[in-house]
Amino acid sequence: MLAVAETGSTNADLLDLAAAGSAGEGVWLRSDRQLAGRGRLGRDWASPAGNLYASTIVTLRADDPPAPSLALVAAVALEEAVAGVLPEAARRKLAIKWPNDLLIAGAKVSGILLERAGNHVVIGIGVNVAHHPDLPDRATTSLHAEGATVDVAAFTDRLAALTAAWLTLWRTQGLATIIERWNERAHPPGTPLRVRLPEGGELAGAFDGLDAHGALRVRLDDGDSRVIHAGDIFLV
């Protein structure tokens, strides 16, 4: 585990190290603070000291499942790590939202960003441990706000071990095992949601599980089903 007090982005740092051949699979980098943190779809990620900012590298093999499904691997590993530190009342309200956000009673507590360079995929994970931002379009929370006492370094070590274990299952048992676990930890089928599409526009429907490749299925009001490969998901 590599740890620094401050950096621009742990993802960017590991991408550079991987490109230079200086870091390979299993390496983790954690920073107390980021100056240029990034979220999905190009968003800035606020990075005050006290939260978790960490990244790791997966080196793809020829027989691995599709690389985008690593988002689901990261989600189930992080959900297990977070569930392990929450009080029971908060743990019962913990759920995964597609593809890899964690929500506690509908409020976002973490984010995951995958970036690829060649055969390396960097998984960046941010968790609101001590602080959570005030956002105009979604509720947020932190582990501390939910009653958890968390040592960030110890939590990251646990997360690294869980990620390695789920990565092994992804490789040896296939994506179906990951999807099964993801569905067990997600919000229930039929949950109303709204999708903001990357090409513009929105659609409304209900959560209808994942397809065999890990894409989101949305059941529309007219009964048709739509498969979503990218987009911003809001539970309503």
Side-chain angles (χ1 to χ4, degrees):
M1 178 72 64
L2 307 175
V4 296
E6 184 177 279
T7 190
S9 160
T10 57
N11 262 29
D13 290 349
L14 282 194
L15 284 168
D16 289 345
L17 289 174
S22 302
E25 181 162 304
V27 170
W28 281 79
L29 172 64
R30 178 177 61 82
S31 181
D32 294 336
R33 184 168 176 261
Q34 291 186 130
L35 302 178
R38 303 189 301 276
R40 289 182 64 244
L41 305 178
R43 296 190 186 91
D44 292 335
W45 182 272
S47 306
N51 290 345
L52 168 67
Y53 317 106
S55 300
T56 189
I57 297 175
V58 175
T59 302
L60 298 173
R61 304 173 186 174
D63 56 350
D64 281 343
S69 64
L70 285 167
L72 307 182
V73 177
V76 297
L78 181 58
E79 191 277 340
E80 186 172 351
V82 169
V85 300
L86 287 175
E88 183 179 356
R91 187 165 59 248
R92 290 198 300 266
K93 301 173 184 176
L94 178 66
I96 304 173
K97 177 175 71 69
W98 188 85
N100 49 34
D101 285 345
L102 290 189
L103 308 180
I104 301 175
K108 183 172 178 174
V109 73
S110 68
I112 297 172
L113 175 65
L114 271 62
E115 296 183 282
R116 181 172 179 174
N119 67 333
H120 299 294
V121 176
V122 171
I123 303 172
I125 297 175
V127 180
N128 298 334
V129 176
H131 315 285
H132 56 281
D134 183 13
L135 301 178
D137 62 344
R138 71 194 69 206
T140 61
T141 189
S142 66
L143 298 183
H144 285 184
E146 300 297 334
T149 300
V150 179
D151 176 272
V152 174
F155 179 86
T156 311
D157 287 342
R158 174 63 174 157
L159 175 59
L162 288 169
T163 300
W166 281 106
L167 185 63
T168 297
L169 290 175
W170 177 75
R171 283 188 163 131
T172 59
Q173 297 186 16
L175 182 53
T177 296
I178 305 301
I179 290 176
E180 180 180 7
R181 172 71 173 203
W182 192 100
N183 280 322
E184 290 173 354
R185 298 299 188 263
H187 45 82
T191 299
L193 51 78
R194 178 169 52 88
V195 182
R196 184 181 298 161
L197 301 169
E199 64 271 20
E202 294 188 352
L203 62 86
F207 174 60
D208 197 27
L210 306 183
D211 74 3
H213 305 289
L216 173 69
R217 291 199 310 257
V218 177
R219 189 174 67 252
L220 305 179
D221 292 340
D222 62 7
D224 286 345
S225 186
R226 175 87 174 263
V227 176
I228 304 296
H229 296 279
D232 226 357
I233 311 301
F234 300 88
L235 304 186
V236 297

